[in-house]
Amino acid sequence: MMEEVRKRLKEAKKVVVLTGAGISQESGIPTFRGRDGLWKNYKPEELATPEAFRRNPQLVWEWYNWRREIIRKAEPNPAHLALVELEKRYPFFYLITQNVDGLHQRAGNKNVLELHGNIWRNFCFECGKEYRGEITPQVPRCECGGYIRPGVVWFGEPLPADVLRKAWEVSAQAEVFLVIGTSGVVQPAASLPLVAKEHGAWVVEINPQETALTPWVDASLRGTACQLLPEIVKGG
Ligand code: NAD
Ligand code: ZN
């Protein structure tokens, strides 16, 4: 299977990648659904919502402080670096990510589409004014008086329309589409591999476990991103 992936990649000119929390797991950043995803016994689904922030902005803020600390100390891993290498080979390459940690850009990827925002950005919950995503003990207030929130997309919120449109458009053009470290249950991101497939792409999943996308993909490689991606990219 590994050989087939390498062969397909060699023949392709247009490659699109979709990454999820799994690719940053080996950088020490917990996924939402993994064993280490809990914080003070809260599930991420209970904190990453506009309702949770409205109910208790300070609690949600402290959870993001904890996540920002982890992300600040984390480094891009060999899987992130393999994707930088891959980008250099193609005239058409897009890296669509659901991650908010910015590690793909720190690793050196250029064409990154952030579907769910970035944890190092903030904006006002009331007026939308943008701020830098800093770690402060208290949830800060905007000059309008509103609370400032992390610049990430929460459950139940729409994705940035221009980014989603672009992601959809490039997915439809992909010849090879890699899905890495995503459970395939968060929409609309999980639809992008299917859009690619409908338009003729060869879709391969890289994940240690079966996912909601497994029945639909052309190939599944079972292993971690750091075990498999450097191997896939090795030797051109
Ligand atoms: P998820 O937590 O639902 O799923 C993670 C997937 O990664 C699982 O399928 C798991 O089997 C797989 N995985 C775990 N370890 C892996 C490894 N070492 N290599 C490859 N795959 C591995 O994550 P999701 O589907 O991306 O959705 C959760 C949402 O939460 C995202 O949309 C994102 O916005 C947010 N989130 C972001 C970060 C981050 O920025 N690093 C972390 C957690 C959650
Ligand atoms: Zn404001």
Side-chain angles (χ1 to χ4, degrees):
M1 207 42 103
M2 174 67 86
E3 272 320 300
E4 163 119 55
V5 176
R6 290 166 61 105
K7 179 169 156 279
R8 295 272 181 174
L9 278 172
K10 205 163 222 147
E11 289 165 1
K13 290 192 175 57
K14 298 182 174 181
V15 172
V16 176
V17 181
L18 173 67
T19 63
I23 196 168
S24 293
Q25 188 263 342
E26 286 160 289
S27 289
I29 302 169
T31 65
F32 274 5
R33 291 169 188 79
R35 262 179 290 118
D36 46 3
L38 293 186
W39 174 77
K40 296 189 176 174
N41 275 326
Y42 292 98
K43 287 192 205 138
E45 293 89 333
E46 297 170 319
L47 296 169
T49 71
E51 293 75 28
F53 189 75
R54 210 168 280 128
R55 202 182 310 127
N56 193 341
Q58 182 63 26
L59 177 74
V60 172
W61 187 256
E62 285 172 18
W63 178 54
Y64 277 97
N65 279 347
W66 175 71
R67 296 190 61 81
R68 285 195 181 111
E69 280 297 349
I70 294 172
I71 289 170
R72 193 166 57 82
K73 292 188 198 122
E75 295 291 339
N77 65 46
H80 293 108
L81 297 176
L83 292 180
V84 179
E85 194 44 45
L86 205 60
E87 176 164 21
K88 291 183 188 151
R89 293 186 194 163
Y90 298 99
F92 182 104
F93 181 97
Y94 287 90
L95 174 46
I96 306 168
T97 188
Q98 300 167 81
N99 294 344
V100 299
D101 55 35
L103 285 182
H104 287 307
Q105 294 92 326
R106 272 178 56 197
N109 275 109
K110 300 281 182 279
N111 280 344
V112 181
L113 299 174
E114 289 181 317
L115 285 178
H116 292 164
N118 190 295
I119 202 161
W120 300 113
R121 282 199 298 269
N122 283 334
F123 62 91
C124 173
F125 196 51
E126 300 302 329
C127 75
K129 184 175 158 61
E130 289 189 30
Y131 294 87
R132 261 180 53 87
E134 271 163 313
I135 300 175
T136 59
Q138 295 296 314
V139 51
R141 298 263 197 173
C142 175
E143 53 198 26
C144 82
Y147 285 115
I148 291 173
R149 58 164 282 179
V152 303
V153 175
W154 283 331
F155 292 107
E157 291 186 318
L159 275 59
D162 49 337
V163 183
L164 181 59
R165 196 179 312 115
K166 182 77 181 171
W168 211 272
E169 186 190 303
V170 301
S171 296
Q173 294 182 65
E175 293 162 358
V176 173
F177 192 102
L178 306 179
V179 192
I180 306 164
T182 180
S183 56
V185 298
V186 178
Q187 292 294 352
S191 298
L192 295 171
L194 307 179
V195 169
K197 194 168 167 55
E198 251 168 45
H199 288 82
W202 194 76
V203 181
V204 52
E205 161 184 80
I206 293 168
N207 200 304
Q209 298 186 359
E210 271 191 33
T211 75
L213 291 167
T214 302
W216 309 101
V217 298
D218 294 293
S220 292
L221 296 184
R222 291 280 166 254
T224 73
C226 286
Q227 287 165 350
L228 294 171
L229 272 174
E231 185 67 21
I232 288 170
V233 170
K234 199 173 67 184

